[in-house]
Amino acid sequence: MATLLLMQARGRLTAAEVASELEVSVATARRDLSALSTAGIPVYPQPGRGGGWSLVGGARTDLTGLTSAEAQALFLLIGRASSSSSVDATSALRKLVRALPATFRADAEAAGRALVVDPVGWGGSARARSPWLDELQGAVVRRRQVSLTYDGRSRGLSTRTVDPWALVDKESVWYLVAGTRSGRRTFRLDRIRSLTVLDVPAARPDDLDAGEIWSSIVDDVEQRRSRVSATVLVDHFLVSGLQGRFGRHATVVGAHDDGRAVVEVASHTARSVAEHLAGFGGAVEVLEPPAVRAELAAIGAELVARNGSVG
């Protein structure tokens, strides 16, 4: 696909030029060009000085039907691939974006930068895809302002107009990073109650680094979420369960003499740590601090008082 897009966008190319653009060997470029010809696509070489490979008669393929919107949608995948283990997927997508016609290339590259994938959750259950995701992807890529009604929980509902900068997928919990009159703000998509994409250009910093901004946001949030830590003992097969509950605030720090894992967990209060641990029942033993042990005992007493008698 990348080779064919290059030929459609730039006309005649040598195997060496294809190899340089797509970061493959000249032998691989020649093999792929020959494969296109064998497959029935009118790609033929012209020998001699000034020669190269070209589409005979300026022939075009179905790839010419690729619209700007489709190019943007395709290269939103770049953000996902960049944070996955698939080096080949990332490389292939970036080769394709270089092969796009110049009129599409800028939008496709902007789409690739508009999505940040953070594979480490906050802890707790993952949420379903937001109903606003498609609209916001389009608004971010096309640089259009959006008017949204947002549930700020303690602050209640508010309606505001924002400049969308980027979208973040944090283990299926989606966020919008946006500019507002009060500066940069972050909105959770599952708290948006209504949304309208406006036909008004959105402002966005030219040097925007969405990944760096999100890292800063996460650092701030995690500092607030990790004010109280506890050291617990748990069987090794339950470590993944603790990590699912506490997110990045569950770290194996060693092994106990009895074979259990020593895990350090953290949350914003001793009560919160205890609430996360309570679901594991007697499978988790808290070594310290006393405040978390006391909160866990209090939760147990509350459960017994509410559910201890039957009939």
Side-chain angles (χ1 to χ4, degrees):
M1 286 182 63
T3 300
L4 195 53
L5 281 168
L6 274 172
M7 298 184 74
Q8 291 184 166
R10 307 187 193 181
R12 184 177 298 153
L13 288 167
T14 66
E17 288 170 335
V18 172
S20 175
E21 286 288 343
L22 302 186
E23 299 174 3
V24 297
S25 68
V26 175
T28 296
R30 287 199 184 102
R31 183 194 65 201
D32 290 347
L33 288 162
S34 296
L36 287 173
S37 179
T38 303
I41 297 173
V43 175
Y44 293 97
Q46 180 177 338
R49 187 180 181 86
W53 292 75
S54 60
L55 288 165
V56 173
R60 314 293 282 180
T61 74
D62 286 342
L63 286 174
T64 58
L66 192 69
T67 66
S68 180
E70 290 167 342
Q72 293 164 9
L74 175 62
F75 291 99
L76 280 168
L77 294 173
I78 292 177
R80 299 177 188 270
S82 295
S83 50
S84 74
S85 59
S86 177
V87 176
D88 288 342
T90 306
S91 176
L93 286 167
R94 295 201 182 281
K95 290 175 184 178
L96 280 173
V97 79
R98 289 204 303 272
L100 282 174
T103 53
F104 290 170
R105 204 173 305 140
D107 283 347
E109 289 173 343
R113 294 191 299 268
L115 179 64
V116 176
V117 179
D118 183 348
V120 181
W122 300 116
S125 302
R127 292 166 177 80
R129 177 184 174 92
S130 166
W132 314 112
L133 187 55
D134 291 337
E135 292 92 331
L136 285 171
Q137 283 181 342
V140 169
V141 172
R142 294 188 297 111
R143 294 197 178 196
R144 289 294 181 267
Q145 288 187 342
V146 297
S147 173
L148 55 85
T149 300
Y150 190 72
D151 183 358
R153 296 294 174 86
S154 61
R155 299 180 181 179
L157 293 176
S158 63
T159 300
R160 62 190 83 186
T161 298
V162 304
D163 296 316
W165 290 356
L167 288 164
V168 180
D169 175 7
K170 189 168 178 64
E171 200 188 34
S172 299
V173 181
W174 286 87
Y175 295 85
L176 170 68
V177 179
T180 73
R181 292 180 179 178
S182 302
R184 186 192 74 208
R185 293 291 184 271
T186 305
F187 303 92
R188 258 178 52 170
L189 268 60
D190 60 355
R191 294 183 185 171
I192 296 176
R193 299 296 173 251
S194 66
L195 183 143
T196 303
V197 179
L198 307 176
D199 192 20
V200 178
R204 184 163 61 198
D206 293 333
D207 59 349
L208 177 72
D209 187 331
E212 184 176 328
I213 288 174
W214 180 248
S215 293
S216 174
I217 292 171
V218 169
D219 287 344
D220 290 343
V221 172
E222 295 291 6
Q223 285 181 9
R224 295 195 297 270
R225 287 169 57 91
S226 60
R227 291 173 181 168
V228 177
S229 61
T231 303
V232 304
L233 299 180
V234 64
D235 288 333
H236 285 276
F237 75 90
L238 288 175
V239 169
S240 61
L242 279 179
Q243 291 172 334
R245 180 67 63 180
F246 287 92
R248 67 174 61 187
H249 297 303
T251 305
V252 177
V253 295
H256 195 258
D257 293 341
D258 62 8
R260 288 182 293 174
V262 182
V263 184
E264 185 173 287
V265 298
S267 191
H268 59 289
T269 65
R271 179 72 179 195
S272 177
V273 174
E275 288 172 346
H276 285 314
L277 293 175
F280 293 91
V284 171
E285 179 183 352
V286 179
L287 296 181
E288 57 180 359
V292 172
R293 291 176 62 90
E295 290 289 356
L296 198 56
I299 291 173
E302 293 166 8
L303 290 171
V304 171
R306 180 60 64 94
N307 304 288
S309 59
V310 179

